[in-house]
Amino acid sequence: MSTVKDHIEKNKEKYLSELFDLLRIPSVSADSKHKDDVRKAALFVMNKLKEAGADKVELMETGGHPIVFGEKTVDPSRPTVLVYGHYDVQPPDPLALWNSPPFEPTVRDGKIYARGSCDDKGQVYMHIKALEIMIQQNDVPCNIKFMIEGEEEVGSANLGAFVKANKARLKADVILISDTALISLNQPSITVGLRGLSYMEVQVTGPNRDLHSGVYGGAVANPVNVLCQMIASLHDQNGRVNIPGFYDDVAELSTADRAALNKAPFDLDEYKKELGIAEVQGERGYTTLERTGIRPTLDVNGIWGGYTGEGAKTVLPSTASAKISMRLVPNQHPDKITELFTRHFKSIAPRSVSVNVIAHHGGEAAVTPTDSTAFRAAARAFEEVWGKTPIPTRDGGSIPIVALFKKELGLDTVLMGFGLDSDALHSPNEHYGIQNFLIGIETIVAFHRQFGGTR
Ligand code: BES
Ligand code: MN
Ligand code: MN
C-alpha cells in the first residue's frame, strides 16, 4: 500500500481540478441572485462525497440554503468524528480589485486565487479527499460524518434548528472543523479559541428630506455628521469600547495564560509591512495577539449616507447609516451585548435626530479544550506529518456554531485549520496555498488514524 503522501502526490492534479470545479460555482449565500448557484455547490459537494464512498449522502432542506449530510460508518464501536464546514462564500466585491476573476480559479506562485479557495471550499474539499483516500486504502479508522452547510457566511440562521432536530443523526464523539488559520507553513498551530459576534445596523434620521446644504446647513442637524460623532464616541482614549457594561462579563486571562499566548511566533514589523500600515492600534495594555485573540472589539463595517456619486453635490442628507459589529470573548453574551449597544446608542443621540437600531446575527465565543483525546490526536497528527508540535492559538474570527455544538450536542470541537491570516479571506484576491491544501489532506488522514487508534 502506498503511503498517504505518495497517494496525494500521484492524484494531486485530479484533486485540484475537482476543487477548481467547485470554486467556479459562485455560491454567494448573501445574494439571492445566487440562490441556484448555492444549491449547485451543495449538489457538487454531495456528489463528491458519494464518489468518495460516503453512505447516506443527502441534501437536507432548511428554511434557507440546504445542508449536505453524509457518513461512513465502519464500526459502531469505533469513535465517530463529525466534520463541519461550509460551501457558501462571501460576496466577491469589490470586483475591480481582483487580479483574476473571483470564480475563475487561477494559480499564481503556488497559490489558488478564487473566492472560497481558503474559506471554506478548499478546506472542506481536503476532508472529502481524505475520506476518499482512507476508503481507497481500505483503512477508515473511525466513523466519519459530514455536515456541510450553505449559510455560514450569513450567520447560520437555520443551522441551530437543524442541529436540534437531528441530534441522533449527528451523534459523534468530536467535531472536526477546518475553517481557521495556521501560524505558518513552518509552524503548525491548532486554534483553541474563536471570538463571538454581535452585528448591528444603525440609522440616524434628521430632516424629513434631503436639504440644500447652503440654505439649511448650520441650522439643521446633519445625520452624517451626527452619526460620525456618535461612532467616534464609542471608543475612549485607551482604545476601549465606551458602552456601559460592555466589559462586565469579559473572561480575563491569567498572567500565565497571557504569557503563553504571547509566546507564539509573531513579527510585528512583518505584520505592519504586510498590511501597509505604519503603526498598529488597539486597546492599551494588550499586545496585537491579545487584541485579536482575547479582547472584545467594536468596528464599523460600512457607513453610508448623502451624496457619494461623481463630482460634488451640495446636500444635507436626511439619513445616515452604518453597520457595526462587535467581536466578543468568552462569557460575553451576544444578546446582552446587543441590548447594551442598542440602549447606549439611542441614549447618545441628540434630540435633533431620531435613531433606529436593528440587530443582525450574532454568536458566542468558543474555547476548545487542549486536554482531550481528540486534541491530542490532532497534535500528534501534526507532529507526524509536519515534524513539529502545533502551538495552540486564539483566532479573532468567529464560527458561532462551535458554541452551539457544545450546547446542543455536548460536543467539543477540534479546529484544525490550514489557511493563513494572509490568505485574504473576505477580501479581493482570496487565495489558498496548494501546499496547504495537500498537506492538509495528509494531516487530516493522520488525525483520523491517531483518533481511531489503529496506529
Ligand atoms: N472561517 C471564517 C472564520 C475564521 C476566519 C475563523 C479566520 C478564524 C480565522 C468564517 O467563515 C467567517 O468568516 N465567520 C464570520 C462570522 C459569521 C457569523 C458571518 C466572521 O468571523 O466574520
Ligand atoms: Mn469560513
Ligand atoms: Mn468566512
Side-chain angles (χ1 to χ4, degrees):
M1 190 171 72
S2 70
T3 64
V4 172
K5 199 179 174 65
D6 292 342
H7 192 123
I8 294 169
E9 188 56 32
K10 217 176 296 158
N11 291 284
K12 69 179 183 195
E13 295 307 326
K14 172 175 122 38
Y15 298 169
L16 286 170
S17 102
E18 291 168 5
L19 171 61
F20 286 14
D21 286 341
L22 175 58
L23 292 173
R24 281 190 193 98
I25 308 170
S27 50
V28 181
S29 50
D31 188 344
S32 55
K33 279 201 305 294
H34 285 295
K35 191 163 186 282
D36 292 346
D37 293 318
V38 177
R39 196 174 182 84
K40 218 170 123 190
L43 290 167
F44 184 96
V45 169
M46 185 184 96
N47 286 328
K48 290 299 171 192
L49 264 177
K50 264 188 207 159
E51 284 171 29
D55 304 316
K56 301 186 188 163
V57 182
E58 245 186 85
L59 205 65
M60 303 188 64
E61 301 299 336
T62 70
H65 301 302
I67 291 171
V68 182
F69 183 85
E71 64 179 81
K72 185 77 196 169
T73 298
V74 286
D75 178 349
S77 69
R78 294 279 182 126
T80 301
V81 177
L82 173 57
V83 175
Y84 163 84
H86 61 97
Y87 64 80
D88 65 322
V89 301
Q90 285 276 327
D93 317 79
L95 279 174
L97 296 184
W98 284 78
N99 297 326
S100 53
F103 299 108
E104 284 174 30
T106 308
V107 176
R108 285 194 298 277
D109 226 2
K111 301 177 185 88
I112 308 156
Y113 284 82
R115 170 59 85 230
S117 54
C118 174
D119 185 12
D120 182 34
K121 287 171 170 174
Q123 300 209 57
V124 163
Y125 214 67
M126 297 180 316
H127 285 271
I128 299 179
K129 292 301 103 174
L131 174 73
E132 182 181 281
I133 292 168
M134 291 186 283
I135 291 176
Q136 284 173 354
Q137 297 202 334
N138 207 6
D139 181 10
V140 187
C142 343
N143 306 306
I144 309 176
K145 295 180 177 178
F146 285 80
M147 178 172 112
I148 313 298
E149 73 150 320
E151 298 188 300
E152 197 276 343
E153 297 293 9
V154 287
S156 304
N158 293 291
L159 197 63
F162 179 87
V163 169
K164 282 182 199 154
N166 289 281
K167 285 191 178 174
R169 195 193 286 254
L170 299 175
K171 198 172 175 320
D173 296 285
V174 71
I175 312 277
L176 181 62
I177 303 179
S178 296
D179 195 20
T180 51
L182 293 164
I183 292 176
S184 76
L185 274 175
N186 299 318
Q187 178 55 64
S189 54
I190 300 176
T191 302
V192 295
L194 290 164
R195 289 195 285 186
L197 189 68
S198 268
Y199 201 113
M200 315 296 299
E201 183 165 335
V202 298
Q203 186 178 34
V204 171
T205 304
N208 58 9
R209 60 188 188 278
D210 284 3
L211 304 174
H212 189 292
S213 67
V215 177
Y216 292 96
V220 175
N222 179 328
V224 181
N225 295 11
V226 171
L227 176 60
C228 290
Q229 272 167 356
M230 290 170 75
I231 287 173
S233 78
L234 294 177
H235 284 98
D236 71 11
Q237 303 286 350
N238 296 320
R240 282 169 67 88
V241 177
N242 220 353
I243 296 174
F246 186 78
Y247 291 94
D248 281 3
D249 300 329
V250 167
E252 304 281 349
L253 263 68
S254 67
T255 315
D257 284 349
R258 283 180 65 179
L261 185 103
N262 285 304
K263 274 223 215 74
F266 176 75
D267 184 334
L268 188 59
D269 287 327
E270 193 47 47
Y271 184 83
K272 291 192 283 196
K273 202 171 132 214
E274 204 254 325
L275 296 174
I277 54 173
E279 199 44 87
V280 290
Q281 189 226 259
E283 188 179 356
R284 183 177 289 177
Y286 293 92
T287 64
T288 296
L289 283 180
E290 290 171 339
R291 286 168 178 173
T292 58
I294 57 165
R295 299 301 293 168
T297 54
L298 179 149
D299 275 291
V300 178
N301 297 259
I303 181 163
W304 66 100
Y307 183 70
T308 57
E310 197 183 331
K313 177 190 180 192
T314 48
V315 62
L316 193 164
S318 167
T319 74
S321 300
K323 298 199 191 263
I324 301 175
S325 67
M326 290 160 284
R327 293 285 168 176
L328 312 179
V329 297
N331 213 33
Q332 278 185 302
H333 197 283
D335 292 344
K336 181 171 169 193
I337 293 295
T338 294
E339 171 76 36
L340 290 175
F341 175 91
T342 306
R343 201 183 314 146
H344 176 70
F345 203 75
K346 287 184 170 168
S347 81
I348 59 174
R351 265 180 48 77
S352 51
V353 296
S354 64
V355 169
N356 191 30
V357 180
I358 61 169
H360 289 289
H361 53 70
E364 284 175 49
V367 177
T368 61
T370 51
D371 58 356
S372 65
T373 318
F375 184 88
R376 282 194 295 270
R380 282 199 303 267
F382 275 107
E383 283 161 4
E384 188 189 317
V385 176
W386 299 57
K388 277 190 183 163
T389 301
I391 294 177
T393 56
R394 300 252 198 153
D395 284 6
S398 308
I399 308 178
I401 191 68
V402 174
L404 195 118
F405 280 142
K406 180 72 186 174
K407 201 178 282 171
E408 293 301 330
L409 303 175
L411 294 182
D412 285 317
T413 294
V414 172
L415 293 159
M416 205 183 196
F418 296 93
L420 296 174
D421 281 343
S422 55
D423 281 346
L425 315 187
H426 298 198
S427 290
N429 304 308
E430 176 179 350
H431 54 273
Y432 191 38
I434 291 178
Q435 188 59 28
N436 298 58
F437 175 71
L438 299 174
I439 201 169
I441 300 173
E442 198 183 342
T443 313
I444 290 166
V445 173
F447 169 81
H448 287 292
R449 296 201 168 149
Q450 292 287 353
F451 191 58
T454 51
R455 277 202 193 167

